Amino acid sequence: MISRRLILAAGMAGMASMQPQNARAQSLRMRQDIDVIVVGAGLSGLNAALLMEEQGLRVQVLEASDRVGGRVLSLDDVPGTPEAGANVIGRGYARLVDRAERLGVALRRTDANDPANAGLVMALGGRLIEMKDWAGDAANPFDGALRALPPWVAGAAALRPLNPLKGPEDWRDPALAARDESVGALLRARGWSEAALALGFGINPGYAHDADDLSALMSWQIQSNLSVMIAAGPGIFGAVGGNQTIPKAMAAALKTPVRFGAAVAAVAALKDGVEVRLGGRQTGVTLKAKALVMALPAAALRRVKMTPALPPAQARAIASLPYNAVSQVHFAVDRAWWEADGILAGGGSPGLWTDTLAGRVFPVRGGQDATVTSLLAFVSGRQAEALDRMTEAAAMARVQAEIESLRPAAKGAMRAVRLVRWGLNPLAGGAYACWAPGEISRDAVLIGADAGRVVFAGEHTAATARGMEGAMESGERAALSVLAMV
């Protein structure tokens, strides 16, 4: 017999190989229909559910929408099935790759879709700038060696030598709390001008709105994670048929099917478990279990009533965690207009990095070769929020007009076919969590702490990894926590 104590000691490696043979889990299953409720059918919730099922627990996954995957979304209605969330899989995504392989989901190299290979042409103030001319351009606000770097690289290059983290797990170390300052304050102290900060962190930001609401600790943790990915080996990958095939396969492997349209309105603690009350299409339905895994983004969790209320500090952490607004416009391409428009700074690429509401424009290669199957306008920060204030039709038209103004050859050669706005998605609240200055040292450990028999998961609770692998890590941690308590 395998004990829960042994499972906890064995950790991830042990859980991958153990079979469901725990007698206590079997007896719990016989006494009631559900041992554990998992709220949210994203990667974190599905991974937790599978791991717990493998140990003999009866698990019911609840999902408010009509699909699995959460922010993993592959657009099968756009040529090439581009990703609208969770774009790439690195070699260092060990949990995700292992799960895909065990479920028979094939992965393929997608290096051609790496943004580093997009051949971006800069567009500032309506003017196209080739990278070979950028170092001497009057609009370049950077100093020294940074002048030769594009804006989207210069900020990271300035922060990298200042990184105090020895590994990606160190970002929550209390000893580094004093480094949880804004990127703006850090770089101003080192001579950066306001113009450099605005260009390096305020236009097409990867995280936050600008340098002043972005934690330096978060930036360094992202860099440390990237180093782990690079050390794991070259190449980026995607699932054949789209990355959403991975959560689909995970859901299909569950013994108990995911319950869709099951929005959770309230969670109440019982003497020996939890009670969940559903809302929406299933208002009035209640479920009981020994424990619950809450695998919702913090932005969605804010709408769930918890009884008793969470500790004030934890509730504040959940209520205040910012999420990045990201809007995407996907274009079908009728002809390769960029090959004949005479703009070869990107090697004949349609790629753009702009200060307009078109954000960044990337070619997407969804087939087995280098053929461009669609175009993606990826808009973030305040630019995305501006699009979010428009109607869907107006937002798509505005982005297309911005591109056509900069690259006139695009007129009549591409069609906007899909708009994805994560900032307006009530089940997500944004594309990913983004810690503000001071929040990591105050809230990063607290936000994912267990509350009785309610265990929290989601990429925002991960201790080491980010993105899809962070979601998988958090699901694993949640499963271990539940196995220790039921």
Side-chain angles (χ1 to χ4, degrees):
M1 180 185 298
I2 297 174
S3 71
R4 294 263 162 72
R5 186 183 300 274
L6 181 59
I7 292 172
L8 290 169
M12 177 181 69
M15 290 193 70
S17 60
M18 291 177 185
Q19 298 299 315
Q21 50 187 325
N22 186 291
R24 186 180 178 198
Q26 297 285 1
S27 66
L28 282 174
R29 186 170 58 186
M30 289 187 292
R31 288 203 305 269
Q32 59 181 43
D33 290 335
I34 303 172
D35 296 325
V36 186
I37 295 169
V38 175
V39 182
L43 288 175
S44 57
L46 292 172
N47 194 39
L50 285 170
L51 291 170
M52 290 186 293
E53 277 196 347
E54 288 165 5
Q55 299 310 310
L57 295 181
R58 178 73 176 268
V59 182
Q60 176 65 69
V61 178
L62 305 178
E63 170 56 43
S65 74
D66 294 320
R67 67 172 185 87
V68 299
R71 286 165 287 173
V72 181
L73 175 61
S74 305
L75 304 180
D76 54 13
D77 58 346
V78 179
T81 315
E83 306 298 339
N87 294 329
V88 298
I89 299 169
R91 285 188 182 272
Y93 281 19
R95 298 174 182 86
L96 185 68
V97 171
D98 175 70
R99 181 61 75 181
E101 289 178 348
R102 286 197 281 147
L103 293 174
V105 178
L107 302 180
R108 65 181 182 90
R109 290 283 290 266
T110 58
D111 296 57
N113 287 326
D114 188 335
N117 300 327
L120 300 181
V121 179
M122 291 180 60
L124 296 175
R127 184 170 57 93
L128 295 179
I129 305 170
E130 297 190 30
M131 281 312 305
K132 66 182 180 63
D133 300 324
W134 174 240
D137 195 274
N140 191 329
F142 302 114
D143 295 323
L146 297 181
R147 288 189 66 84
L149 300 177
W152 58 91
V153 175
L159 290 171
R160 189 170 294 110
L162 305 175
N163 193 339
L165 308 185
K166 296 179 180 179
E169 69 281 358
D170 292 340
W171 69 302
R172 304 197 307 184
D173 186 344
L176 294 175
R179 308 302 303 274
D180 190 14
E181 61 180 318
S182 75
V183 167
L186 181 72
L187 294 182
R188 283 189 189 94
R190 285 157 178 79
W192 270 53
S193 68
E194 296 303 316
L197 289 171
L199 189 60
F201 296 94
I203 297 175
N204 302 315
Y207 293 86
H209 293 103
D210 53 42
D212 289 317
D213 62 359
L214 174 62
S215 168
L217 268 183
M218 181 175 181
S219 297
W220 287 323
Q221 204 256 348
I222 293 167
Q223 291 183 344
S224 294
N225 266 282
L226 181 59
S227 296
V228 171
M229 295 298 106
I230 293 172
I236 60 175
F237 299 82
V240 174
N243 290 340
Q244 197 175 347
T245 60
I246 299 177
K248 284 181 178 179
M250 294 170 73
L254 291 170
K255 295 180 178 68
T256 302
V258 174
R259 185 167 183 164
F260 292 102
V264 172
V267 173
L270 304 176
K271 183 178 180 180
D272 57 351
V274 293
E275 181 180 80
V276 171
R277 179 167 54 82
L278 303 184
R281 301 200 304 263
Q282 300 187 32
T283 296
V285 174
T286 60
L287 300 171
K288 295 180 181 180
K290 290 289 184 179
L292 179 142
V293 174
M294 184 65 77
L296 296 180
L301 177 56
R302 293 164 193 161
R303 297 193 304 276
V304 178
K305 181 180 179 181
M306 305 289 293
T307 305
L310 295 175
Q314 186 176 21
R316 182 210 60 232
I318 292 169
S320 63
L321 180 64
Y323 278 73
N324 255 54
V326 168
S327 293
Q328 301 177 7
V329 180
H330 295 261
F331 295 90
V333 177
D334 295 323
R335 67 173 184 273
W337 51 265
W338 54 91
E339 294 179 352
D341 74 350
I343 300 172
L344 301 177
S349 167
L352 287 166
W353 188 93
T354 85
D355 59 359
T356 74
L357 293 189
R360 291 163 281 180
V361 180
F362 299 108
V364 178
R365 297 170 174 88
Q368 299 299 318
D369 55 28
T371 303
V372 175
T373 52
S374 65
L375 298 181
L376 162 64
F378 188 99
V379 191
S380 58
R382 291 190 174 89
Q383 291 156 283
E385 291 174 353
L387 289 180
D388 288 349
R389 291 190 288 271
M390 302 179 187
T391 66
E392 180 172 325
M396 295 170 76
R398 175 64 179 272
V399 171
Q400 182 159 350
E402 297 281 15
I403 296 171
E404 292 174 350
S405 175
L406 295 167
R407 306 284 292 267
K411 293 182 179 179
M414 64 181 197
R415 293 167 286 113
V417 294
R418 184 71 182 269
L419 173 65
V420 177
R421 302 199 272 197
W422 289 111
L424 297 185
N425 185 324
L427 302 180
Y432 35 77
C434 180
W435 298 90
E439 286 190 332
I440 293 172
S441 54
R442 186 188 69 188
D443 296 337
V445 173
L446 182 65
I447 199 168
D450 297 351
R453 292 193 173 228
V454 176
V455 177
F456 294 96
E459 54 94 13
H460 62 290
T461 70
T464 302
R466 298 201 61 80
M468 287 186 278
E469 184 67 4
M472 296 291 286
E473 174 199 311
S474 75
E476 176 186 287
R477 174 191 51 77
L480 288 167
S481 184
V482 170
L483 288 167
M485 70 173 60
V486 300

Short mmCIF file of all heavy atoms in Angstrom, two decimals, residues 34 37-40 60 62-64 259 261-270 273-289 291-292 294 296 300-307 454:
data_model
loop_
_atom_site.label_atom_id
_atom_site.label_comp_id
_atom_site.label_asym_id
_atom_site.label_seq_id
_atom_site.Cartn_x
_atom_site.Cartn_y
_atom_site.Cartn_z
N ILE A 34 -18.33 12.42 -4.59
CA ILE A 34 -17.21 13.27 -4.97
C ILE A 34 -16.27 13.41 -3.78
O ILE A 34 -16.70 13.75 -2.68
CB ILE A 34 -17.69 14.67 -5.41
CG1 ILE A 34 -18.69 14.57 -6.56
CG2 ILE A 34 -16.51 15.54 -5.84
CD1 ILE A 34 -19.35 15.88 -6.91
N ILE A 37 -13.64 18.59 -5.47
CA ILE A 37 -14.15 19.45 -6.54
C ILE A 37 -13.00 20.32 -7.02
O ILE A 37 -12.26 20.90 -6.22
CB ILE A 37 -15.31 20.33 -6.05
CG1 ILE A 37 -16.51 19.46 -5.68
CG2 ILE A 37 -15.71 21.35 -7.11
CD1 ILE A 37 -17.60 20.22 -4.95
N VAL A 38 -12.84 20.41 -8.34
CA VAL A 38 -11.86 21.31 -8.93
C VAL A 38 -12.63 22.37 -9.72
O VAL A 38 -13.45 22.04 -10.59
CB VAL A 38 -10.89 20.57 -9.87
CG1 VAL A 38 -9.96 21.55 -10.58
CG2 VAL A 38 -10.07 19.55 -9.08
N VAL A 39 -12.38 23.62 -9.42
CA VAL A 39 -13.06 24.72 -10.10
C VAL A 39 -12.11 25.30 -11.15
O VAL A 39 -11.08 25.88 -10.82
CB VAL A 39 -13.48 25.82 -9.10
CG1 VAL A 39 -14.23 26.93 -9.84
CG2 VAL A 39 -14.35 25.23 -8.00
N GLY A 40 -12.46 25.12 -12.40
CA GLY A 40 -11.65 25.64 -13.50
C GLY A 40 -10.99 24.52 -14.29
O GLY A 40 -10.22 23.73 -13.74
N GLN A 60 -14.45 15.88 -9.45
CA GLN A 60 -15.36 16.54 -10.38
C GLN A 60 -14.81 17.91 -10.73
O GLN A 60 -14.62 18.77 -9.85
CB GLN A 60 -16.75 16.71 -9.77
CG GLN A 60 -17.73 17.48 -10.67
CD GLN A 60 -18.05 16.74 -11.95
OE1 GLN A 60 -18.71 15.72 -11.94
NE2 GLN A 60 -17.58 17.27 -13.09
N LEU A 62 -15.34 21.47 -12.47
CA LEU A 62 -16.39 22.39 -12.87
C LEU A 62 -15.81 23.47 -13.76
O LEU A 62 -14.77 24.05 -13.43
CB LEU A 62 -17.03 23.04 -11.63
CG LEU A 62 -17.58 22.10 -10.56
CD1 LEU A 62 -18.12 22.92 -9.40
CD2 LEU A 62 -18.65 21.18 -11.12
N GLU A 63 -16.46 23.76 -14.86
CA GLU A 63 -15.99 24.77 -15.79
C GLU A 63 -17.15 25.67 -16.19
O GLU A 63 -18.19 25.20 -16.66
CB GLU A 63 -15.38 24.11 -17.03
CG GLU A 63 -15.08 25.04 -18.19
CD GLU A 63 -14.15 26.19 -17.80
OE1 GLU A 63 -13.15 25.95 -17.08
OE2 GLU A 63 -14.44 27.35 -18.21
N ALA A 64 -16.96 26.98 -16.00
CA ALA A 64 -18.05 27.92 -16.27
C ALA A 64 -18.34 28.07 -17.75
O ALA A 64 -19.48 28.35 -18.13
CB ALA A 64 -17.71 29.28 -15.66
N ARG A 259 -17.77 19.08 -15.97
CA ARG A 259 -19.14 19.62 -15.97
C ARG A 259 -19.08 21.06 -16.48
O ARG A 259 -18.55 21.95 -15.82
CB ARG A 259 -19.71 19.58 -14.56
CG ARG A 259 -21.17 20.01 -14.47
CD ARG A 259 -21.73 19.65 -13.10
NE ARG A 259 -23.14 19.99 -12.98
CZ ARG A 259 -23.93 19.51 -12.02
NH1 ARG A 259 -23.44 18.67 -11.12
NH2 ARG A 259 -25.20 19.86 -11.96
N GLY A 261 -20.58 24.78 -18.14
CA GLY A 261 -21.63 25.72 -17.77
C GLY A 261 -21.86 25.79 -16.28
O GLY A 261 -22.92 26.20 -15.82
N ALA A 262 -20.84 25.40 -15.52
CA ALA A 262 -20.97 25.32 -14.06
C ALA A 262 -20.18 26.45 -13.41
O ALA A 262 -19.07 26.25 -12.92
CB ALA A 262 -20.48 23.95 -13.56
N ALA A 263 -20.75 27.64 -13.43
CA ALA A 263 -20.11 28.79 -12.80
C ALA A 263 -20.31 28.71 -11.29
O ALA A 263 -21.43 28.55 -10.81
CB ALA A 263 -20.70 30.08 -13.33
N VAL A 264 -19.24 28.82 -10.54
CA VAL A 264 -19.31 28.74 -9.08
C VAL A 264 -19.64 30.12 -8.52
O VAL A 264 -18.92 31.09 -8.76
CB VAL A 264 -18.00 28.20 -8.49
CG1 VAL A 264 -18.01 28.30 -6.97
CG2 VAL A 264 -17.78 26.76 -8.93
N ALA A 265 -20.71 30.19 -7.76
CA ALA A 265 -21.13 31.46 -7.15
C ALA A 265 -20.62 31.59 -5.73
O ALA A 265 -20.30 32.69 -5.27
CB ALA A 265 -22.64 31.58 -7.17
N ALA A 266 -20.56 30.46 -5.00
CA ALA A 266 -20.19 30.54 -3.58
C ALA A 266 -19.56 29.23 -3.14
O ALA A 266 -19.90 28.15 -3.64
CB ALA A 266 -21.41 30.86 -2.72
N VAL A 267 -18.68 29.34 -2.17
CA VAL A 267 -18.03 28.19 -1.55
C VAL A 267 -18.16 28.36 -0.04
O VAL A 267 -17.83 29.42 0.51
CB VAL A 267 -16.54 28.08 -1.94
CG1 VAL A 267 -15.85 26.97 -1.15
CG2 VAL A 267 -16.40 27.85 -3.44
N ALA A 268 -18.64 27.33 0.63
CA ALA A 268 -18.80 27.39 2.08
C ALA A 268 -18.06 26.22 2.74
O ALA A 268 -18.10 25.09 2.24
CB ALA A 268 -20.27 27.35 2.46
N ALA A 269 -17.40 26.51 3.85
CA ALA A 269 -16.72 25.46 4.60
C ALA A 269 -17.72 24.67 5.42
O ALA A 269 -18.62 25.23 6.03
CB ALA A 269 -15.66 26.08 5.52
N LEU A 270 -17.57 23.34 5.39
CA LEU A 270 -18.36 22.45 6.24
C LEU A 270 -17.46 21.89 7.33
O LEU A 270 -16.24 22.12 7.33
CB LEU A 270 -18.94 21.31 5.40
CG LEU A 270 -19.80 21.70 4.20
CD1 LEU A 270 -20.21 20.45 3.43
CD2 LEU A 270 -21.02 22.49 4.64
N GLY A 273 -15.53 19.27 5.20
CA GLY A 273 -15.35 19.44 3.77
C GLY A 273 -15.80 20.80 3.29
O GLY A 273 -15.70 21.80 4.00
N VAL A 274 -16.34 20.83 2.07
CA VAL A 274 -16.77 22.09 1.47
C VAL A 274 -18.08 21.88 0.72
O VAL A 274 -18.41 20.76 0.30
CB VAL A 274 -15.72 22.63 0.47
CG1 VAL A 274 -14.45 23.05 1.19
CG2 VAL A 274 -15.42 21.61 -0.62
N GLU A 275 -18.82 22.96 0.57
CA GLU A 275 -20.02 22.97 -0.25
C GLU A 275 -19.89 24.04 -1.30
O GLU A 275 -19.49 25.18 -1.00
CB GLU A 275 -21.26 23.23 0.61
CG GLU A 275 -22.56 23.21 -0.19
CD GLU A 275 -23.76 23.47 0.69
OE1 GLU A 275 -24.02 24.65 1.02
OE2 GLU A 275 -24.44 22.49 1.07
N VAL A 276 -20.24 23.71 -2.52
CA VAL A 276 -20.15 24.63 -3.65
C VAL A 276 -21.55 24.90 -4.18
O VAL A 276 -22.32 23.96 -4.42
CB VAL A 276 -19.26 24.05 -4.77
CG1 VAL A 276 -19.36 24.90 -6.03
CG2 VAL A 276 -17.82 23.94 -4.31
N ARG A 277 -21.88 26.17 -4.33
CA ARG A 277 -23.17 26.55 -4.89
C ARG A 277 -22.93 27.14 -6.28
O ARG A 277 -22.11 28.06 -6.45
CB ARG A 277 -23.88 27.57 -3.99
CG ARG A 277 -25.22 28.05 -4.53
CD ARG A 277 -26.01 28.79 -3.48
NE ARG A 277 -25.27 29.88 -2.89
CZ ARG A 277 -25.16 31.10 -3.45
NH1 ARG A 277 -25.75 31.35 -4.61
NH2 ARG A 277 -24.49 32.05 -2.83
N LEU A 278 -23.64 26.62 -7.28
CA LEU A 278 -23.46 27.07 -8.65
C LEU A 278 -24.40 28.21 -8.98
O LEU A 278 -25.45 28.38 -8.36
CB LEU A 278 -23.68 25.91 -9.62
CG LEU A 278 -22.80 24.67 -9.43
CD1 LEU A 278 -23.07 23.64 -10.52
CD2 LEU A 278 -21.33 25.04 -9.38
N GLY A 279 -24.03 28.97 -9.99
CA GLY A 279 -24.85 30.05 -10.49
C GLY A 279 -25.07 29.89 -11.98
O GLY A 279 -24.88 28.81 -12.54
N GLY A 280 -25.42 30.98 -12.64
CA GLY A 280 -25.61 30.95 -14.08
C GLY A 280 -26.69 29.97 -14.49
O GLY A 280 -27.77 29.92 -13.91
N ARG A 281 -26.37 29.14 -15.50
CA ARG A 281 -27.35 28.18 -16.02
C ARG A 281 -27.68 27.08 -15.02
O ARG A 281 -28.67 26.37 -15.20
CB ARG A 281 -26.80 27.54 -17.31
CG ARG A 281 -26.49 28.53 -18.42
CD ARG A 281 -26.42 27.84 -19.76
NE ARG A 281 -25.48 26.74 -19.81
CZ ARG A 281 -24.24 26.85 -20.28
NH1 ARG A 281 -23.79 28.03 -20.71
NH2 ARG A 281 -23.43 25.81 -20.33
N GLN A 282 -26.87 26.94 -13.98
CA GLN A 282 -27.10 25.87 -13.01
C GLN A 282 -27.37 26.43 -11.61
O GLN A 282 -27.06 25.80 -10.61
CB GLN A 282 -25.91 24.92 -12.99
CG GLN A 282 -25.66 24.27 -14.35
CD GLN A 282 -24.61 23.19 -14.32
OE1 GLN A 282 -24.43 22.49 -13.32
NE2 GLN A 282 -23.88 23.05 -15.42
N THR A 283 -27.98 27.60 -11.57
CA THR A 283 -28.31 28.23 -10.29
C THR A 283 -29.17 27.29 -9.44
O THR A 283 -30.13 26.69 -9.95
CB THR A 283 -29.07 29.54 -10.52
OG1 THR A 283 -28.20 30.45 -11.20
CG2 THR A 283 -29.50 30.17 -9.20
N GLY A 284 -28.82 27.17 -8.19
CA GLY A 284 -29.56 26.31 -7.28
C GLY A 284 -28.92 24.96 -7.06
O GLY A 284 -29.26 24.25 -6.10
N VAL A 285 -27.96 24.58 -7.92
CA VAL A 285 -27.28 23.29 -7.77
C VAL A 285 -26.18 23.44 -6.72
O VAL A 285 -25.42 24.41 -6.72
CB VAL A 285 -26.66 22.84 -9.11
CG1 VAL A 285 -25.83 21.57 -8.92
CG2 VAL A 285 -27.75 22.61 -10.14
N THR A 286 -26.09 22.49 -5.81
CA THR A 286 -25.02 22.48 -4.82
C THR A 286 -24.31 21.13 -4.87
O THR A 286 -24.91 20.09 -5.16
CB THR A 286 -25.56 22.71 -3.39
OG1 THR A 286 -26.48 21.66 -3.06
CG2 THR A 286 -26.23 24.05 -3.27
N LEU A 287 -23.02 21.17 -4.62
CA LEU A 287 -22.18 19.98 -4.59
C LEU A 287 -21.36 19.99 -3.31
O LEU A 287 -20.97 21.07 -2.82
CB LEU A 287 -21.24 19.95 -5.80
CG LEU A 287 -21.88 19.93 -7.19
CD1 LEU A 287 -20.81 20.12 -8.24
CD2 LEU A 287 -22.63 18.63 -7.42
N LYS A 288 -21.08 18.82 -2.77
CA LYS A 288 -20.28 18.70 -1.57
C LYS A 288 -19.10 17.77 -1.83
O LYS A 288 -19.19 16.84 -2.63
CB LYS A 288 -21.11 18.17 -0.41
CG LYS A 288 -22.24 19.11 0.02
CD LYS A 288 -23.03 18.53 1.18
CE LYS A 288 -24.17 19.46 1.58
NZ LYS A 288 -24.97 18.91 2.71
N ALA A 289 -17.99 18.05 -1.14
CA ALA A 289 -16.80 17.22 -1.28
C ALA A 289 -15.93 17.37 -0.06
O ALA A 289 -16.16 18.24 0.80
CB ALA A 289 -16.02 17.63 -2.54
N ALA A 291 -12.74 18.20 -0.20
CA ALA A 291 -11.83 19.32 -0.41
C ALA A 291 -12.13 19.95 -1.76
O ALA A 291 -12.85 19.38 -2.60
CB ALA A 291 -10.37 18.86 -0.34
N LEU A 292 -11.57 21.12 -1.98
CA LEU A 292 -11.81 21.85 -3.22
C LEU A 292 -10.50 22.48 -3.70
O LEU A 292 -9.75 23.05 -2.90
CB LEU A 292 -12.87 22.93 -3.01
CG LEU A 292 -13.23 23.81 -4.22
CD1 LEU A 292 -14.72 24.11 -4.24
CD2 LEU A 292 -12.44 25.13 -4.19
N MET A 294 -9.35 25.43 -6.06
CA MET A 294 -9.85 26.63 -6.74
C MET A 294 -8.79 27.06 -7.75
O MET A 294 -7.80 27.70 -7.42
CB MET A 294 -10.09 27.74 -5.72
CG MET A 294 -10.70 29.00 -6.33
SD MET A 294 -12.36 28.75 -7.00
CE MET A 294 -13.34 28.74 -5.49
N LEU A 296 -8.95 29.09 -10.46
CA LEU A 296 -9.40 30.24 -11.24
C LEU A 296 -8.35 31.35 -11.21
O LEU A 296 -7.66 31.51 -10.20
CB LEU A 296 -10.71 30.80 -10.69
CG LEU A 296 -11.95 29.91 -10.73
CD1 LEU A 296 -13.13 30.67 -10.12
CD2 LEU A 296 -12.26 29.47 -12.14
N ALA A 300 -11.09 36.23 -11.78
CA ALA A 300 -12.38 35.53 -11.75
C ALA A 300 -12.75 35.11 -10.34
O ALA A 300 -13.93 35.10 -9.97
CB ALA A 300 -12.31 34.30 -12.66
N LEU A 301 -11.76 34.78 -9.54
CA LEU A 301 -12.00 34.36 -8.16
C LEU A 301 -12.65 35.46 -7.33
O LEU A 301 -13.39 35.19 -6.38
CB LEU A 301 -10.67 33.93 -7.53
CG LEU A 301 -10.66 33.51 -6.07
CD1 LEU A 301 -11.65 32.37 -5.82
CD2 LEU A 301 -9.26 33.10 -5.65
N ARG A 302 -12.43 36.70 -7.70
CA ARG A 302 -12.98 37.82 -6.95
C ARG A 302 -14.51 37.80 -6.89
O ARG A 302 -15.11 38.40 -6.00
CB ARG A 302 -12.51 39.14 -7.58
CG ARG A 302 -11.02 39.39 -7.46
CD ARG A 302 -10.55 40.47 -8.40
NE ARG A 302 -9.09 40.48 -8.49
CZ ARG A 302 -8.38 41.04 -9.46
NH1 ARG A 302 -9.00 41.67 -10.44
NH2 ARG A 302 -7.07 40.99 -9.44
N ARG A 303 -15.14 37.11 -7.83
CA ARG A 303 -16.60 37.10 -7.88
C ARG A 303 -17.21 35.93 -7.11
O ARG A 303 -18.44 35.80 -7.07
CB ARG A 303 -17.07 37.05 -9.34
CG ARG A 303 -16.67 38.26 -10.17
CD ARG A 303 -17.43 38.29 -11.49
NE ARG A 303 -17.22 37.06 -12.24
CZ ARG A 303 -16.18 36.83 -13.04
NH1 ARG A 303 -15.24 37.76 -13.16
NH2 ARG A 303 -16.06 35.71 -13.69
N VAL A 304 -16.37 35.09 -6.53
CA VAL A 304 -16.87 33.93 -5.78
C VAL A 304 -16.97 34.31 -4.30
O VAL A 304 -16.00 34.77 -3.69
CB VAL A 304 -15.94 32.72 -5.95
CG1 VAL A 304 -16.45 31.54 -5.12
CG2 VAL A 304 -15.83 32.34 -7.43
N LYS A 305 -18.13 34.09 -3.71
CA LYS A 305 -18.32 34.38 -2.28
C LYS A 305 -17.75 33.23 -1.47
O LYS A 305 -18.13 32.06 -1.65
CB LYS A 305 -19.80 34.56 -1.97
CG LYS A 305 -20.07 34.88 -0.50
CD LYS A 305 -21.55 35.05 -0.22
CE LYS A 305 -21.79 35.35 1.26
NZ LYS A 305 -23.23 35.49 1.55
N MET A 306 -16.86 33.54 -0.54
CA MET A 306 -16.23 32.54 0.31
C MET A 306 -16.76 32.66 1.73
O MET A 306 -16.78 33.75 2.31
CB MET A 306 -14.72 32.73 0.31
CG MET A 306 -14.06 32.74 -1.06
SD MET A 306 -14.04 31.13 -1.88
CE MET A 306 -12.93 30.23 -0.82
N THR A 307 -17.22 31.53 2.30
CA THR A 307 -17.70 31.51 3.67
C THR A 307 -16.99 30.40 4.44
O THR A 307 -17.08 29.22 4.05
CB THR A 307 -19.22 31.25 3.72
OG1 THR A 307 -19.89 32.25 2.91
CG2 THR A 307 -19.73 31.33 5.14
N VAL A 454 -9.89 24.44 1.22
CA VAL A 454 -9.86 25.08 -0.10
C VAL A 454 -8.40 25.32 -0.47
O VAL A 454 -7.68 26.01 0.26
CB VAL A 454 -10.64 26.41 -0.11
CG1 VAL A 454 -10.51 27.09 -1.47
CG2 VAL A 454 -12.11 26.16 0.22
#
